Amino acid sequence: MAKNQDNALRLMVVDDSMEDAEAIVSTLRNAGIAVRPLRPATSEELAGMLAGQGIDMVLAAVDATGIALEDVSQQLLASGKDVPLLAVTGSIDSETFKFAHGHGVRRIVLRDNSQLLLGAVRDERNDLDARRALRRLEVRIRETERRCDALIDSSRDPIAYIHEGMHIRANGAYLEMFGYDSFDDVEGISLLDMVASQHVEEFKDLLKRMAKGEPPPARHELEARDIEGNGFPASMEFTHAQYEGEPCLQVIFRREETDPELARQVEELRQRDQVTGLLNRPTFLRRLEDAVSNAADAGGRHGLLMIEPDNYQNLLQEIGLDAADDLAQAAAELLLACVGEGAVTARYSEHRLAVLVPDADYGVTTELAKQLLAAFSGNMFHVGRHSVVITVSIGGVQIGEKIASVSQVLAKADEGVHTAAGVGGNRHEIFDPGAVDRAEEEHVQAWVARLRDALDNNGFVLHYQPVISLHGDSGAVYESLLRLDDGKGELVKPLEFLQIAEEQGLLWEIDHHVVGRAIARIGERMKADKPTTLLVKISQASLHDDSLVRYIGEQLAQHGVPGEYLVLQLPEAKVFTHLKAVRDFAEAIGKYDCRLALSQFGVGLDSFQLLSHLQPHLLKLDRSFSEELAQNADNQQRVNEIATKAREMGIRTVVEHIQDAASMSILFGAGVDYAQGNFLAGTGPEMTYDFD
């Protein structure tokens, strides 16, 4: 789930304990799930929240007494809304299981098992999103069906829908062709009654084969007969469809007034590219749609390859524009010689060919791509007066259940062509959804090696952003911001790698590295007679032992830095879930006179309750409060409330991400101590801001 306001999980937590409710919210936020929490205190508040706000999910404690689980279940049921209910308990036994599921609970999670909680919330959120998407699709389908029905009625093509051989729908053109006045006259009549007797057995066999799942022919020719028994030559086109929720066949009858063989040849020409003899793009796309549908509905596996000559424009300059068709024809002939029977070949665009390989796994698709590369690079093409060797770039997709969308398939194939061409051509790039997990593992290991190299060889860089006093304090205060040097002149921000670093147990090493660099920089500034306070972010990984505290003491002594110039930041959500460890940490760094700050403050269920257990030096408000601050009255009120309470407790406040002058005026009026943001001063590797 992406962490942004639009996709935040609107979560209601029903629990007697504020601390337990906050721990649930913190666990989700720590895992990267954006949460908008609500916690009703009474049944009346619960009813009001359900009626007035969109709720995505409810987590209710099994043993809650303020609002019993039964009451939560009944009110959810009465609301008529699709809101999953999850039960939270300390332990599970048969009685708890029966009790919870008897009141409509979808899942039971253990209070102390964060992984079980995260898995349940993610699964239920995905299920909820899928149900909502399905409802939206159903609405669109109904609207599309109404439009299609109107189009069918107005179409001059004779169209009928057939279910189990019987007519269930027919348009006016169809009725007119066979001489019927209204659909009532044809409803329930077998399609076989529209076929001349000499074709009945053959046509009956075709219907049986299609009923067993065999794909319909592109065109079937026979003699039809009207209501008077008069015969006439006709062709039929079949498409699997649904009508009013029932699977059926859409049949288009076309009266053939010309010679049937000539009509067949005309239809064949209509489906072919005139230069190469391969299928044209529209016909190929219909075949691709069938393959994708088969993958989605029946689990079929198919391979798609797109083949494009390398350096095509340069090639045209060499052979001449008038020889472009000759080149396309020669490439098509080689393609046909390489692919086996059953493969569908097409000229997809001016200089791109396509192959669809039915019933092919990744190995078959890849092997064909290798054969095509070898065939093209090893062949001498005689085009007009020129003889040239052509290499190609091939982009492919392994079509299966995980990528059963025509647009996705085409996009991935096109991306593969461009990727292959971008690294010199004469190669293939096959996208296999089944290999995504393996690719992700390789991606993680590459990042681990990169981070390890940065730790060992000073690959991390610190940038600094001024934190500016709103009340005349001219002391230099900066926040240090971690960046990773990619070795190519670009700096990578932490969001791209911190999650991997946490999963791989590297955060504590990064904390040591950053804190050491920060203390050294403070020391340099002091020697230059420019005393500077630095705000440095650390992670919860450094709370598990005293190694960072001891390291801080060593570095402060080595560089001659008073501890008061070092302010260590922890996010509010992490503090809630590691409260005892944070208190011990704050006490330990306090012996060196270092300070503690809470960042991302104010978005918890009751952020100020945290301050009854911990007294930080600084509160940095969550950046969501500064977004459109001048236009958002709720944010203004919340900023004013936090600043007032913090001032009463002797705690200073910082608001970051300031975007305009109007926000500065609001912060000054609210009594906020410091402001930070690109509107005031940007970030950079040097500390050059004039605080005077």
Side-chain angles (χ1 to χ4, degrees), residues 638-679:
R638 184 62 172 154
V639 168
N640 188 73
E641 175 188 345
I642 293 174
T644 300
K645 288 186 178 181
R647 191 163 53 250
E648 293 171 355
M649 302 176 72
I651 303 173
R652 296 186 177 187
T653 50
V654 180
V655 175
E656 63 176 340
H657 199 53
I658 298 304
Q659 301 169 334
D660 50 54
S663 297
M664 291 290 292
S665 177
I666 292 168
L667 299 183
F668 185 83
V672 171
D673 295 289
Y674 296 95
Q676 178 184 353
N678 289 337
F679 174 75

Side-chain angles (χ1 to χ4, degrees), residues 519-629:
I519 293 174
R521 192 63 190 273
I522 296 172
E524 293 171 5
R525 297 277 292 180
M526 292 194 68
K527 290 177 182 177
D529 198 24
K530 298 178 181 179
T532 301
T533 298
L534 272 187
L535 279 62
V536 181
K537 295 176 182 176
I538 62 170
S539 70
Q540 74 280 3
S542 293
L543 303 174
H544 301 315
D545 57 41
D546 64 350
S547 62
L548 181 61
V549 174
R550 288 187 284 104
Y551 182 69
I552 289 172
E554 294 168 2
Q555 293 300 305
L556 291 174
Q558 178 180 335
H559 295 280
V561 172
E564 64 185 285
Y565 291 105
L566 180 65
V567 182
L568 300 172
Q569 297 184 78
L570 280 163
E572 175 195 329
K574 305 292 186 184
V575 173
F576 252 112
T577 52
H578 300 83
L579 185 55
K580 184 180 184 306
V582 173
R583 290 173 61 182
D584 294 343
F585 180 79
E587 182 180 351
I589 64 172
K591 295 176 181 178
Y592 299 107
D593 205 21
C594 298
R595 313 296 171 83
L596 181 70
L598 298 188
S599 60
Q600 300 172 18
F601 187 81
V603 292
L605 285 169
D606 190 352
S607 298
F608 272 95
Q609 185 183 35
L610 182 63
L611 302 184
S612 63
H613 304 284
L614 187 70
Q615 186 77 6
H617 172 72
L618 197 67
L619 296 180
K620 179 183 280 190
L621 278 65
D622 189 81
R623 66 168 45 197
S624 63
F625 293 123
S626 58
E627 292 177 359
E628 299 184 351
L629 180 61

Side-chain angles (χ1 to χ4, degrees), residues 386-419:
H386 299 271
S387 296
V388 292
V389 174
I390 300 173
T391 63
V392 294
S393 294
I394 299 177
V397 179
Q398 190 60 41
I399 303 171
E401 287 181 302
K402 290 187 176 181
I403 185 168
S405 160
V406 172
S407 59
Q408 287 181 341
V409 168
L410 291 173
K412 285 295 184 183
D414 183 68
E415 181 182 322
V417 171
H418 288 296
T419 300

Side-chain angles (χ1 to χ4, degrees), residues 147-155 157 159 161 169 171-172 250:
R147 292 178 181 177
C148 288
D149 211 37
L151 288 172
I152 289 169
D153 277 336
S154 62
S155 174
D157 286 331
I159 302 173
Y161 285 87
R169 175 79 168 86
N171 68 353
Q250 182 193 71

Side-chain angles (χ1 to χ4, degrees), residues 10 18 75 78 143 234 333 351 495:
R10 294 164 294 186
M18 172 65 78
Q75 292 206 39
E143 178 61 27
E333 291 173 356
H351 57 280
L495 282 178

